């Protein structure tokens, strides 16, 4: 039944297959037809080959490049689930299938049986923010159709609904007929929608009878109840394909056995990765690179009890030396670190802070006029966020700026982001590992769990190397790069077990330390515990051994010593 | 059709009816009405689930038309002679409802006298409240009758059920019933303009009346609205996010045919602009060219408000849902943006006509275009206007929107009805309502919890499971979640039931974790940091809207946490002036704003959970609580409970903490096994909060007694209190007792609960200030009697008591003068009576025994906990009192020490411990003397007096006198053995 022919037909004319399915004599009940549809299509495109056949909607092939009612897949982040659901006629008077934007001909449109009305959920989805190019490539597969010429011209609609409006992206209105699966979707979830692409008027505000009536009786009806409603791309979802938490999947622990191939052992790869990061982006500071590695594999392990990714502050990171040519407008140079992270992490975003950005940009999503505007921090779960403070100069932080700083601090502390709604705000869970790069001995704006001083040469030439352009980065061989990625992505998904023996050891260790030094608190233990686990993850160990614990502890102690020596006064931790 | 004739009058200017529910259709008016008829469709079930079996076909039935008309597109334009369904059930609903209004009195028992059967309004003794209301309506020119649904349920539950289930269907009949009653009792009021009526019958205007139901037993959330709720009467609650301006809505339109000039009246509007589909003039045939006659059309006030789900009803991680509510007639402008309101009415589906509106276009024009397009298609003639031909407008498939048609709106009063915390004055009723909202397994679990033993202590164990230890703080948090009962005095003064808690402690103890736990636990909890928030951020700020220039009030954290808990971290870092600003919120539960011409008092009924760091980073046990916290006394007194969490350096607790942390990392959630899940706990607390516990007489006695003791402690100066014990603490104790009763799910406050509340209060406000009794520290403050015994010094605690005076001792002399003066004053007041020792100590003997064995001190520092101090104190006082009663004499010191050591015999294992205990009792006695619990008699009574006089000067020589005196102790006359020995 589900042969290649069927697949082809689905691809060619999804609407017709929908009708076929509806009229299928075997399908006796239409009680939960949307569910049936979802199951049917999941079945058809079960194999990854078949799935890849579906053309992908992305920046390279924006909605305008598809004919009306094409079958597309759209890997997207759910941005706004607040629009009210819509009602649609699930069955036309003549027994035809309704929904999915299927037009009812005029004959059928005459009368409505209200019992055939069904609910469909409407939401807004955008292309995945913070997604690295290599990750997109891997998920989309080698795109055969590439209308690269016209893509730059694509102007996305409702770009206020994308966290970083200036970057190229796509925003699509999504209608989901299988309401059960729609209920599960939350803001910042990443899923792939497979459905029929049409163009429709945007999320409608509401019904307003008097607007029409008063159009006759009063002249001034402009802008009162009816919003301007432009046509937006709309995806009528057939089924939803979910992704793993890391978006990509890599084995953990790495499949390579240490003795079989010395070259691909995690420890070796890890060491090479650290060297590469240190060399390319951190002025050769391996210690800082190692911390960077740990921070970028951290994630929320549990919310209750809270085991959150530690936030990292890379201090003493020099600001870019001003280049003589552009003096009037302070340029915001991104450290090379940003590019390096993008090369190895599937989801990473760099947020170059400046007073302007802080005071003007919205970090927090806010619902205005029933429309949820995205905020810079509305990022998918599992994003590594690099915050640079190099662009912050003297000036005034206005209210918006304070709120923004507060929001980012809240993300670091509790991994929640409070979206603003009229008269209230609601916290949504986030999973964003934050790395703050600051020039001073500690971050000017944020309190982080861990701070690491960068010990790199500070001569102008060395500083310039920290900000060297993309072209100058020496990429490792494709094979090594893949190994780096495997290590990181695998570690992000990994799990470390703490044995009875190790925990006994750690406990005794703590009690002994407390007795020696009263300033050691339980917070120290909590921090060390999470560092040790990250350390084990970075080695692709499945178990936290005493050896790793001691190494991690020493590692942490080195950092504290470095902090203490670089700052006379207040080291954060 | 005599009923119909009442309102089937010529076109009216004003109408308050929703068009779709007008009881009477237009077509009886002088034969000129449009040939508009509802198609008597064979489909038995529409959205209202009407069955054909309960309807009979009659040649003419406007009633049925009225109910069918709610299908916006189902109304066809068919021949007038097609039989129309008459709703017999509707008729009977009308009759019953009329009878109900006619006869209802508050006293239900009297209402069913036989005489009331005949439809004659025989008034029993009670007042006929609805008839009265009809008279009032005339007086105040109102058109809405407000009906308490509770009355309806009480009087006629069949009718109530029918109205609830098929509200939309019966709406016309309900209104007609009201119409009839008005016609009967206030016939004049039916017509808007009775005098004009005689002269100009065309412009005679009749009033339209509405019935508003309120007090429905169940209030749903926006999320609960599903298609199966369409057409039923229900209440929903939500926060109004915006309101439209009030506009006229066309109910019935009059049109002039632009072709033949004929007038068509009473075209009912169906949530969209509807023109006559065909000119009634047989020769005309015009379908499209119409001119609306504004002066003869009927309008009503119309307002649309947008409401958003209440925060408490939103599942975690979901965004709030919104819904449009349509308000008409007298209901407009009742709801303001920001209000939390309950709307009663019905959930409806309407075609999404707004889709037709395209930017910049003339909507009405487009509508007409659409109608034209439709008219051109023969098959589409049924559709009326605006549906067919949409395609030409670029609309693919017509969508439908849901909305809520409200017949009643009222503000949610904070502590009644749909309170997020399930608070309700109605007690039991509401707990049933809550129980109903649970699923079967949830209910079973709740039942098991309620019926199980020791639920209170088990609940405490499940609070903040991630935090190790600190059971007493957890107790406090549980009680804060439970809350006391909000009360209102007859004068209308509100007494808060919320319990405010402050946690003071060393850094990196678990203070913030407690706060965060509460915030994750309670939906309506706001976490804020004192450092980051100013008073305006906490309370409310007046903000100028940049676009409109209007001043609006922006809610601060306290307001956001209304009916919840506001957790303020780093409370001490807040400016003192800001702390003062929240005084009002803490006690009066309101926030007043006077700024930019706005004077407002806003509700902030929130409990405050504050965390504060001690001054100087670490809690100094040597100082009082007050000296440790940067808080003003008035603020401090507004906290019901203070908890001090200290970072104790103790191998055992360190190990436990380490184990706890490691386990969390090892097993994550499995590491923590609270007996009850968060959800179960939440349900239990919501259920428990439905109770309004009252004091039993015995408990009231205990309460009085405990309060007296607190006051006395305060007055006698034994506790270095940060603030005086006042009525505030009495109120605290009542609140705590209420909360404990709630935790036990009972509406009776038993004496045991009061005792527990007293213990908590002591342990927090008093205990904390006195903190551990550090004898070494005590000694630095000098002694009253100047009695000198060999003893350990502050510097040399490990040594035995046979140590001579040290330098530290001498240093203490400086302080002696001062304390001497103090104690003399107290002594004078205290020694006036001699009756203290006689009260019954025997009954309390049992209660003291279990407390006796003190835990061994980790180090032999001369410090005992306050608890232990109190235990020892009562032990000694009781013993002395007993001996005194028997012998009339005091007890020799050595005898007393021996007696004490005997009682401790089992616990003492080695000599070292013996020495320790000996020293302890010695110091204990000294302190008791100093604190006026005991009096010391040397040799005989006379000797003791001069000694006290020479204290300040004669210190160094005291030791030498030691051997010469036998020292006796007696209970100080001012001590009431009842009071001091009842310490748990």
């Amino acid at each position: 039944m589900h042969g290649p022919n069927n697949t082809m037909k689905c691809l060619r004319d999804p609407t017709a297959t929908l009708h076929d399915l509806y009229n299928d004599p075997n399908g006796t009940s239409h009680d939960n037809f949307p569910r049936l549809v979802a199951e049917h299509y999941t079945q058809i495109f079960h194999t990854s080959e078949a799935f890849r056949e579906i053309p992908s909607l992305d920046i390279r092939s924006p909605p305008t490049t598809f004919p009306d009612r094409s079958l597309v897949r759209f890997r997207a982040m759910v941005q706004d689930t607040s629009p009210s659901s819509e009602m649609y006629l699930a069955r036309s008077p003549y027994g035809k299938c309704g929904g999915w934007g299927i037009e009812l001909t005029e004959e059928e449109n005459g009368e409505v049986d209200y019992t055939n009305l069904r609910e469909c959920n409407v939401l807004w989805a955008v292309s995945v923010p913070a997604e690295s190019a290599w990750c997109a490539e891997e998920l989309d597969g080698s795109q055969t159709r590439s209308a690269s010429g016209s893509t730059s011209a694509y102007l996305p609609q409702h770009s206020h609904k994308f966290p970083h409006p200036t970057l190229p992206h796509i925003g699509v209105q999504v209608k989901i007929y299988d309401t059960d699966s729609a209920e599960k979707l939350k803001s910042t979830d990443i899923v792939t929608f497979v459905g029929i692409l049409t163009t429709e008027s945007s999320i409608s505000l509401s019904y307003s009878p008097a607007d029409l009536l008063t159009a006759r009786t009063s002249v001034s009806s402009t802008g009162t109840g009816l919003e301007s409603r432009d046509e937006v791309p709309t995806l009528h979802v057939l089924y939803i394909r979910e992704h793993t938490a890391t978006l990509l999947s890599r084995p953990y622990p790495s499949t390579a056995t240490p003795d079989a191939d010395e070259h691909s052992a995690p420890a070796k790869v890890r060491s090479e990765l650290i060297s590469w990061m240190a060399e390319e982006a951190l002025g050769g500071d391996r210690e800082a690179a190692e911390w960077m590695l740990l921070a970028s594999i951290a994630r929320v392990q549990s919310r209750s009890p809270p085991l959150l990714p530690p936030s990292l502050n890379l201090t003493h990171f020099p600001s870019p030396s001003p280049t003589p040519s552009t003096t009037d407008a302070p340029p915001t140079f991104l450290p090379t670190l940003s590019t390096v992270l993008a090369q190895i992490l599937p989801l990473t975003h760099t947020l170059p802070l400046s007073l302007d950005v802080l005071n003007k940009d919205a970090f927090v999503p806010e619902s205005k006029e029933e429309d949820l505007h995205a905020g810079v921090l509305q990022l998918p779960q599992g994003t590594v966020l690099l915050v640079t403070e190099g662009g912050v100069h003297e000036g005034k932080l206005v209210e918006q700026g304070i709120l923004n700083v507060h929001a980012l601090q809240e993300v670091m502390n509790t991994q929640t982001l409070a979206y603003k709604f009229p008269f209230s705000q609601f916290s949504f869970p986030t999973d964003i590992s934050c790395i703050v790069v600051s020039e001073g001995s500690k971050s000017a704006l944020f309190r982080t769990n861990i701070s690491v001083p960068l010990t790199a040469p500070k001569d102008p030439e060395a500083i310039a190397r920290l900000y060297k352009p993309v072209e100058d980065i020496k990429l490792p061989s494709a094979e090594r790069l893949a190994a780096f990625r495997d290590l990181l992505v695998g570690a992000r998904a990994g799990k470390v077990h703490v044995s009875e023996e190790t925990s006994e050891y750690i406990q005794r260790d703590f009690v002994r330390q407390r007795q020696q030094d009263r300033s050691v608190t339980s917070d120290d233990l909590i921090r060390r515990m999470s560092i040790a686990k990250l350390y084990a993850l970075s080695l692709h160990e499945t178990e936290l051994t005493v050896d790793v614990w001691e190494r991690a502890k020493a590692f942490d102690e080195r950092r504290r010593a470095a902090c203490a020596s670089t700052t006379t006064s207040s080291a954060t931790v | 059709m005599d009923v119909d004739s009442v309102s089937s009058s010529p076109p009216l200017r004003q109408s308050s009816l929703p068009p779709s529910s007008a009881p009477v259709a237009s077509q009886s008016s002088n034969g000129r009405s449009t040939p508009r008829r509802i198609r008597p469709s064979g489909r038995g079930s529409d959205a209202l689930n009407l069955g054909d079996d309960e309807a009979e076909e009659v040649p003419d039935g406007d009633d049925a038309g009225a109910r069918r008309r709610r299908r916006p597109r189902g109304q066809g334009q068919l021949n007038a002679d097609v039989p129309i369904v008459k709703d017999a059930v509707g008729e009977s609903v009308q009759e019953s409802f009329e009878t109900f209004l006619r006869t209802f009195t508050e006293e239900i028992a009297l209402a069913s006298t036989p005489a009331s059967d005949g439809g004659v309004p025989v008034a029993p003794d009670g007042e006929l409240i609805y008839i009265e209301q009809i008279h009032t309506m005339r007086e105040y020119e109102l058109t809405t009758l407000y009906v308490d649904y509770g009355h309806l349920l009480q009087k006629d539950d069949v009718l109530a059920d029918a109205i609830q289930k098929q509200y939309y269907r019966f709406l016309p009949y309900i209104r007609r019933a009201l119409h009839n009653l008005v016609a009967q009792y206030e016939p004049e009021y039916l017509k808007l303009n009775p005098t004009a009526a005689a002269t100009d019958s065309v412009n005679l205007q009749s009033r339209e009346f509405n019935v508003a139901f309120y007090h429905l037993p169940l209030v749903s959330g926006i999320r609960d609205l599903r298609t199966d709720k369409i057409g039923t009467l229900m209440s929903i609650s939500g926060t109004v996010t915006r309101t439209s301006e009030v506009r006229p809505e066309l109910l019935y339109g009059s049109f002039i045919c632009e072709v033949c000039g004929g007038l068509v009246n009473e075209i009912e509007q169906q949530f969209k602009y509807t023109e006559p589909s065909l000119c009634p003039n047989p020769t005309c045939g015009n379908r499209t060219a119409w001119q609306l006659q504004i002066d003869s059309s009927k309008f009503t006030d119309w307002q649309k408000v947008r409401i958003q789900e209440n925060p408490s009803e939103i599942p975690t991680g979901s965004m709030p849902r919104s819904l449009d509510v349509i308000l008409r007639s007298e209901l407009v402008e009742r709801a303001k943006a920001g209000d939390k309101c309950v709307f009663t009415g019905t959930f409806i589906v309407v075609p999404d006509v707004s889709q037709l509106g395209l930017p910049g276009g003339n909507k009405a024009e487009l509508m007409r275009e659409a109608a034209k397009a439709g008219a051109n298609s023969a098959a589409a003639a049924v559709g009326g206007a605006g549906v067919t031909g949409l395609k030409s407008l670029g609309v693919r498939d017509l969508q439908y929107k849901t909305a809520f048609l409200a017949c009643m709106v009222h503000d949610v009063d904070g502590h009644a009805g749909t309170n997020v915390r399930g608070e309700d004055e109605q007690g039991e009723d509401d707990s049933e309502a809550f129980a109903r909202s649970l699923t079967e397994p949830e209910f079973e679990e709740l039942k098991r919890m309620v019926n199980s033993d020791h639920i209170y202590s088990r609940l405490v164990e499940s609070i903040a499971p991630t935090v190790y230890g600190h059971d007493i703080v957890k107790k406090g948090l549980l009680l804060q979640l439970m809350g006391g009962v909000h009360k209102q005095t007859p004068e209308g003064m509100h007494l808060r039931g919320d319990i405010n808690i402050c946690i003071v402690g060393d850094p990196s103890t678990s203070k913030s974790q407690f706060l965060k736990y509460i915030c994750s636990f309670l939906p309506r909890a706001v976490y804020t940091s004192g450092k980051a928030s100013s008073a305006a951020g906490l309370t409310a700020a007046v903000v100028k809207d940049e676009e409109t220039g209007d001043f609006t009030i922006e809610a601060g954290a306290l307001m956001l946490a209304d009916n919840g808990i506001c957790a303020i971290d780093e409370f001490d870092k807040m400016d003192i002036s800001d702390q003062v600003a929240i005084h009002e919120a803490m006690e009066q539960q309101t926030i007043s704003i006077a700024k930019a011409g706005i004077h407002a008092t806003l509700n902030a009924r929130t409990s405050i959970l504050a965390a504060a760091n001690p001054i100087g980073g670490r809690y100094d046990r040597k100082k009082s609580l007050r000296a440790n916290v940067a808080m003003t006394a008035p603020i401090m007194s507004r906290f019901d409970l203070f908890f001090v969490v200290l970072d104790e350096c103790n191998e055992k607790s360190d190990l436990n903490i380490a184990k706890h942390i490691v386990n969390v990392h090892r097993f994550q959630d499995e590491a923590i096994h609270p007996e009850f899940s968060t959800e179960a706990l939440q349900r239990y607390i919501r259920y428990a909060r439905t109770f309004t516990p009252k004091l039993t007489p015995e408990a009231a006695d205990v309460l009085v007694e405990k309060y007296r003791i607190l006051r006395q402690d305060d007055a006698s100066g034994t506790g270095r209190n940060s603030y005086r014990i006042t009525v505030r603490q009495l109120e605290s104790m009542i609140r705590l007792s209420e909360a404990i009763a709630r935790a036990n799910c009972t509406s009776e406050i038993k004496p045991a609960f009061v005792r527990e509340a007293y213990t908590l209060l002591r342990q927090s406000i008093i205990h904390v200030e006195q903190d551990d009794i550090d004898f070494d520290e005590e000694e630095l403050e000098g002694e009253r009697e100047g009695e000198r015994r060999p003893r350990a010094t502050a510097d040399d605690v490990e040594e035995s008591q046979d140590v001579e005076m040290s330098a530290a001792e001498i240093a203490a002399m400086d302080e002696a003068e001062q304390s001497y003066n103090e104690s003399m004053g107290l002594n004078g007041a205290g020694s006036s009576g001699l009756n203290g020792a006689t009260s019954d100590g025997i009954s309390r003997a049992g209660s003291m025994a279990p407390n006796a064995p003190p835990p061994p001190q980790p180090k032999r520092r001369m410090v005992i906990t306050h608890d232990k101090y109190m235990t020892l104190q009562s032990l000694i006082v009781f013993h002395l009192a007993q001996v005194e009663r028997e012998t009339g004499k005091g007890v020799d010191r050595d005898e007393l020490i021996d007696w004490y050591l005997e009682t401790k015999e089992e616990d003492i294992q080695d000599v070292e411990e013996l020495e320790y205990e000996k020293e302890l009792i010695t110091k204990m006695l000294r302190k008791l003397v100093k604190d006026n619990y005991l009096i010391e008699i040397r040799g005989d009574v006379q000797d003791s007096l001069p000694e006290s006089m020479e204290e300040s000067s004669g210190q160094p020589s005291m030791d030498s006198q030691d051997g010469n005196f036998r020292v006796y102790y007696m209970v100080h006359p001012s001590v009431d053995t009842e009071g001091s020995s009842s310490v748990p």
Side-chain angles (χ1 to χ4, degrees), chain A residues 290 444 497:
Chain A
E290 194 165 353
H497 175 74

Side-chain angles (χ1 to χ4, degrees), chain B residues 108-146:
Chain B
I108 183 150
L110 295 172
S112 54
T113 44
S116 66
D117 282 348
V120 190
V122 176
D125 296 333
E127 188 193 18
L128 292 166
I129 54 174
Y130 292 111
I131 300 300
E132 277 305 308
Q133 227 191 91
I134 288 173
H135 293 305
T136 321
M137 277 164 67
R138 178 199 162 84
E139 204 174 319
Y140 294 101
E141 296 216 2
L142 302 172
T143 56
T144 309
L145 180 79
Y146 297 92

Side-chain angles (χ1 to χ4, degrees), chain A residues 429-451:
Chain A
T430 57
D431 184 354
I432 303 172
S433 315
C434 298
I435 302 170
V436 184
V437 172
S438 56
E439 193 180 0
S441 62
K442 62 175 187 172
S443 163
L445 302 166
F446 305 102
R447 264 178 302 160
T448 56
N449 301 113
I450 301 167
S451 51

Side-chain angles (χ1 to χ4, degrees), chain A residues 112 114 206 211 498 533, chain B residues 72-73 242 247 324 665-666:
Chain A
V112 174
Y114 275 71
S206 50
D211 294 294
V498 185
K533 276 177 83 179
Chain B
R73 294 192 293 154
R242 58 176 180 172
R247 285 185 234 157
D324 280 330
H665 278 268
R666 284 177 73 189

